[in-house]
Amino acid sequence: MPKPLNEGIHNFFNNFGQLPTIANDILQLNFYQAANDSWRFIINSTIGVLGFFDVASRMGLNYYANDFGLTMARYGWKNSTYLVLPLFGPSTIRDTIEIPVDYNLFSLYPYVEPQSRRYIIYGAGALDRRAQLLQYQGVFEEVAIDKYVFMRNAYMQRRAHQIEEVKHLSYQDQKAARAAREAAAIETASGDVSDKNEPDVIKEAQATARNE
């Protein structure tokens, strides 16, 4: 498949799945992020021709994915047992509960008629997610001695990162993070490399912003 077409299809499904992200932003009381994601959805659904073109990212409204699993983690259910679901792949008990909640309560899928079209779109979305993962297949085959353990650790680490990220989505936090990235970019361009890595700089900037 030509790369522009592949990117367009991926953009469409990212946009199609934006409503559960917005709903969970609100449930987590991250209203600034909810506004950002709402504008993304509106702009890409209109100017971006149903999301095939990611116009919003070029305007500084970067893509962010949220789900009900992260909402449950936000309110206390951080640790959950790992499992592998047929067709869906790596998950946890908490994240398995997320699938029907986001699908039935927050997504556009229940409103797609007839049902045959709904299932075709959902299946195509699953294929798109699978296609995006295949680009890492070479790395996976090269580094994984025990593929199950590698996949489990990668999934659990990614979710732990996302759970932590949910705590830092306020306007002040994101403003501080942008300022820190800009400062790091300027230092790198000028050759003035600090002993601190970027995550440390961002955390310090966020702490300063919250104390202001």
Side-chain angles (χ1 to χ4, degrees):
M1 180 183 297
K3 186 176 180 179
L5 179 59
N6 183 50
E7 289 181 353
I9 293 173
H10 183 59
N11 290 339
F12 169 82
F13 283 109
N14 278 348
N15 190 64
F16 197 81
Q18 198 74 53
L19 288 185
T21 289
I22 296 168
N24 284 288
D25 289 339
I26 295 171
L27 289 175
Q28 295 162 15
L29 307 182
N30 288 321
F31 300 116
Y32 177 75
Q33 187 64 47
N36 181 92
D37 294 331
S38 297
W39 277 113
R40 263 193 67 88
F41 180 73
I42 293 169
I43 291 169
N44 283 346
S45 296
T46 53
I47 302 175
V49 192
L50 299 180
F52 281 97
F53 300 98
D54 188 3
V55 179
S57 288
R58 299 170 190 169
M59 299 172 65
L61 299 170
N62 295 323
Y63 175 73
Y64 173 71
N66 204 343
D67 57 62
F68 193 67
L70 295 176
T71 297
M72 289 187 283
R74 176 72 174 83
Y75 291 104
W77 192 359
K78 294 183 179 180
N79 299 318
S80 186
T81 303
Y82 177 79
L83 50 83
V84 179
L85 299 176
L87 302 180
F88 290 94
S91 186
T92 62
I93 294 175
R94 180 197 63 227
D95 296 337
T96 300
I97 295 172
E98 166 260 315
I99 296 172
V101 172
D102 280 342
Y103 179 92
N104 290 296
L105 297 184
F106 304 139
S107 79
L108 290 171
Y109 287 107
Y111 305 99
V112 176
E113 296 292 346
Q115 282 192 357
S116 58
R117 183 179 302 165
R118 180 189 315 167
Y119 297 142
I120 289 172
I121 295 175
Y122 189 82
L127 289 175
D128 174 69
R129 290 191 295 272
R130 175 63 177 169
Q132 298 306 312
L133 291 174
L134 285 176
Q135 61 183 313
Y136 304 107
Q137 187 68 27
V139 176
F140 177 74
E141 295 289 346
E142 183 176 340
V143 303
I145 298 174
D146 187 324
K147 295 180 181 180
Y148 174 84
V149 172
F150 178 84
M151 185 64 71
R152 181 194 63 196
N153 291 344
Y155 180 82
M156 298 299 282
Q157 289 174 17
R158 173 176 173 271
R159 291 302 274 178
H161 171 75
Q162 290 177 314
I163 290 169
E164 183 65 24
E165 186 180 33
V166 165
K167 302 176 185 177
H168 305 292
L169 294 178
S170 69
Y171 172 74
Q172 289 291 346
D173 282 332
Q174 296 200 38
K175 180 181 178 181
R178 285 196 298 271
R181 283 193 292 268
E182 290 172 1
I186 293 172
E187 288 183 0
T188 301
S190 64
D192 181 13
V193 181
S194 172
D195 292 335
K196 296 177 182 179
N197 56 35
E198 184 177 347
D200 289 337
V201 173
I202 291 174
K203 287 179 181 178
E204 286 187 6
Q206 289 172 339
T208 301
R210 284 194 293 271
N211 291 329
E212 290 179 349

